[in-house]
Amino acid sequence: MKLQRKNRLRASALGALVVSGALVLTACGSDDNTKDGGASGKPSAAAQGDIKCDDAKGKLLASGSSAQKNAVDLWVKAYMAACSGVEVNYKSSSSGEGIVAFNQGTVGFAGSDSALKPEAVEESKKICTGGQGINLPMVGGPIAIGFNVAGVDKLTLDAPTLANIFNDKIKKWDDEAIKKLNPGVTLPSTAIQAFHRSEDSGTTENLGKYLKAAAPEAWTYEAAKKWPAPGGQAASGSAGVASQVKAVDGAIGYFELSYASAQSIKTVDVNTGSAAPVKASADSASKAIAAAKIAGTGSDLALKLDYTTKAEGAYPIVLVTYEVVCDKGNKPETLATVKSFLNYTASDAGQKVLSENGYAPIPAEINTKVREVIKSLS
């Protein structure tokens, strides 16, 4: 009996170690959440709490935003553990590629960090028989500005300074504009190495919306998925930008907070004009997203964010990732699985996963409407 008890304890300890390691790997992420590089380990009962498999079956393909990749990996693992015989495969690429795949009819839904443009909605009508593509806000969070400057552990920047760094006008870390925002910090004369996304990216577009709104004189470009400014260096995906910032002294770049957390990358505090600079966190992003208004009509729930907020503790560089689906005309073979999976991601348990992993849950008032629309999908 004693030997059996020791073996049980040893197995329990090993299981806990495996799960702990899996959570660390989850943050690192991969492009295919069915392989070892994605979230692994047995999901907690809490994570699986609101999963209703209903008539879900077979394989569901989805693709798009790398911003939500780490969250989707966790959702997929919990969902597939609860719904045997169902496979959900989310390919993390970019918002632009996800929308292209959706409008080609090769995926059941797409992830995008910006709402569908009118021309994309029009194109979606060819795939969504009798309907069109709509935006369902599902994941919120801060766009962290990561930096790697030897000897500098804390850095504050404001919108005009960030704009002039990313448009190649501020070239050294000891520039007077940066020094003014960081009294008492010894800044080196190291050259600034600014990194941006190489492909069309909703994260790029949301950063552009912030810079255009908060520093219109310094950032004269219209917000777009394609990087608009001169200079800088390009890297693929949020993971690629984060890796470059981690590796290069003098680097700065933008990516979702989960990527900074996974690689222990220091992030910029943003001077918004409030009493104190604001650190990127799930809580500070939630305070900004809570002020969002629904800008879409009907079953489309596209949001309008306030990038110029000066509310205390509200981090202004935020994004909301949408799951793009057909309101009508979804493929019969995947409709039940799409509804079942998205019902889970929008559930209390699904949204709780976000707050536990560096993302910001969608405000309850908006999320209630998301759930209603999911039920109506046909």
Side-chain angles (χ1 to χ4, degrees), residues 262-276:
Q263 299 193 48
S264 299
I265 297 171
K266 295 185 286 289
T267 61
V268 168
D269 295 347
V270 177
N271 183 335
T272 64
S274 61

Side-chain angles (χ1 to χ4, degrees), residues 208-278:
K209 287 177 179 177
Y210 162 71
L211 294 174
K212 181 69 173 177
E217 293 182 3
W219 194 258
T220 57
Y221 313 98
E222 293 303 318
K225 287 186 174 70
K226 185 177 180 61
W227 182 255
Q233 301 173 62
S236 177
S238 292
V241 175
S243 294
Q244 290 296 321
V245 172
K246 176 73 173 179
V248 177
D249 184 27
I252 187 170
Y254 58 95
F255 32 79
E256 295 65 44
L257 184 59
S258 60
Y259 290 91
S261 302
Q263 299 193 48
S264 299
I265 297 171
K266 295 185 286 289
T267 61
V268 168
D269 295 347
V270 177
N271 183 335
T272 64
S274 61
V278 186

Side-chain angles (χ1 to χ4, degrees), residues 40-53:
S40 56
K42 186 176 179 180
S44 68
Q48 294 178 258
D50 289 343
I51 297 177
K52 295 179 177 61
C53 303

Side-chain angles (χ1 to χ4, degrees), residues 112-131:
S112 178
D113 305 332
S114 57
L116 291 170
K117 297 288 190 292
E119 56 270 23
V121 173
E122 195 61 33
E123 189 177 351
S124 73
K125 294 177 181 179
K126 300 173 185 175
I127 297 299
C128 305
T129 307

